[in-house]
Amino acid sequence: MRIQGREDSWITKYPKGIFSICWRLIQDGKMNQEDENTFRGIDDWFKEHLPEPEPCKNGEKVITFFKTETTDEMQKMIAPAVRLLDKYAYPYDVVYTNFVGTIVYEDEWQIAVRVDNGAMI
């Protein structure tokens, strides 16, 4: 499962994920301070509890998905960020797929897959 916007990342050419979207709202000065603090808390929780995939750290062309086995747990933790997207009228899609392409990272909660020119490979 992936929560993604409708604007492509300049790196992957694939729709930006929810974390990138929220950081963009902050960087563009669209999010008020209280909401920014809320998102930073969410981001901190995920950084503390989910390892950041090495391919992401290295700036490789990858996207991440929550595993379906843990989707319910992750949705509870990410729900406040989704509410921020709603509050700031930022369009997004919740995507479930049975094809993710080449998995280059996997842990208990998530996978990272390689993308090339906007397509999973």
Side-chain angles (χ1 to χ4, degrees):
M1 187 273 292
R2 177 176 167 83
I3 301 168
Q4 64 189 34
R6 296 180 183 163
E7 176 185 353
D8 289 346
S9 160
W10 66 273
I11 295 172
T12 64
K13 309 299 185 251
Y14 197 87
K16 291 180 181 181
I18 188 168
F19 287 92
S20 294
I21 295 167
C22 287
W23 281 117
R24 175 54 48 201
L25 289 171
I26 290 168
Q27 292 165 350
D28 290 347
K30 294 181 179 178
M31 212 181 267
N32 69 39
Q33 190 62 53
E34 182 180 342
D35 292 339
E36 179 179 339
N37 293 343
T38 297
F39 175 70
R40 286 181 182 275
I42 295 163
D43 190 57
D44 288 345
W45 186 92
F46 275 90
K47 285 178 181 173
E48 183 179 333
H49 292 88
L50 267 74
E52 183 176 7
E54 278 300 317
C56 294
K57 288 183 194 177
N58 298 335
E60 296 176 37
K61 293 181 180 180
V62 297
I63 58 171
T64 56
F65 288 83
F66 291 126
K67 289 183 168 182
T68 54
E69 304 87 58
T70 58
T71 295
D72 289 341
E73 292 173 66
M74 292 298 100
Q75 277 187 309
K76 288 176 189 170
M77 300 311 298
I78 201 77
V82 173
R83 286 193 293 275
L84 291 173
L85 297 183
D86 290 336
K87 178 178 181 177
Y88 291 95
Y90 196 100
Y92 63 91
D93 299 301
V94 178
V95 178
Y96 287 84
T97 183
N98 64 342
F99 175 80
V100 292
T102 304
I103 297 173
V104 295
Y105 174 86
E106 183 172 4
D107 63 37
E108 181 181 355
W109 307 99
Q110 62 188 335
I111 61 167
V113 300
R114 193 162 312 286
V115 293
D116 184 34
N117 203 26
M120 290 180 277
I121 56 172

